[in-house]
């Protein structure tokens, strides 16, 4: 479920708490839904409801950092719910995705090729010490 538009019952919030602020800007919606499911609540998508969301308006201000944060937060989620091996695999998939987006951005002329290249370089260096980066907090 995408956090651009969430509707949740008050008893769910009382039981599982609010969004985890350790996942600043990306991944908090995914983690919240996982906690709700784990607590026995149903998580649903209602495809007939439409909401206009200016996708990426916040992240475009610093695309590189947003891409990095999104990657790390998804991997933090993977580590918490599926283990370290799956988190590393997810990180490698993100690296491959960044690499593939460089030539696509050049072809599309969207001006993001340099951003993807810089994010890829930073992520590659992070990969060596990935475990330290994924343990941002205890996520209790």
């Amino acid at each position: 479920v995408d956090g651009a538009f969430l509707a949740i019952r008050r008893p769910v919030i009382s039981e599982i708490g609010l969004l985890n602020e350790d996942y600043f800007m990306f991944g908090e919606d995914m983690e919240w839904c996982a906690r709700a499911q784990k607590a026995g609540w149903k998580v649903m998508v209602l495809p007939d409801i439409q909401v206009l969301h200016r996708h990426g308006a916040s992240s475009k201000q610093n695309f590189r950092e947003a891409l990095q944060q999104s990657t790390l937060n998804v991997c933090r989620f993977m580590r918490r719910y599926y283990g370290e091996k799956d988190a590393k695999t997810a990180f490698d998939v993100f690296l491959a995705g960044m690499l593939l987006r460089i030539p696509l951005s050049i072809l599309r002329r969207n001006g993001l090729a340099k951003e993807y290249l810089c994010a890829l370089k930073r992520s590659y260096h992070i990969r060596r010490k990935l475990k330290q980066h994924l343990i941002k907090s205890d996520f209790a």
Side-chain angles (χ1 to χ4, degrees), residues 109-123:
R109 297 182 182 160
N110 61 12
L112 294 176
K114 183 178 178 183
E115 299 296 314
Y116 280 114
L117 178 61
C118 289
L120 177 65
K121 286 179 183 178
R122 285 175 63 187
S123 297

Side-chain angles (χ1 to χ4, degrees), residues 11 18 28 39 42 45 50 57 59 64 97-98 109 112-114 137:
L18 298 171
E28 69 273 33
K42 215 185 257 189
V45 174
Q50 295 183 1
S59 60
R64 237 178 269 177
M98 287 180 216
R109 297 182 182 160
L112 294 176
K114 183 178 178 183
S137 71

Side-chain angles (χ1 to χ4, degrees), residues 107-135:
L107 289 172
R108 292 178 180 160
R109 297 182 182 160
N110 61 12
L112 294 176
K114 183 178 178 183
E115 299 296 314
Y116 280 114
L117 178 61
C118 289
L120 177 65
K121 286 179 183 178
R122 285 175 63 187
S123 297
Y124 181 75
H125 292 293
I126 285 173
R127 177 66 172 85
R128 289 186 235 147
K129 296 181 180 180
L130 184 60
K131 185 175 182 176
Q132 292 170 344
H133 287 275
L134 295 182
I135 305 174

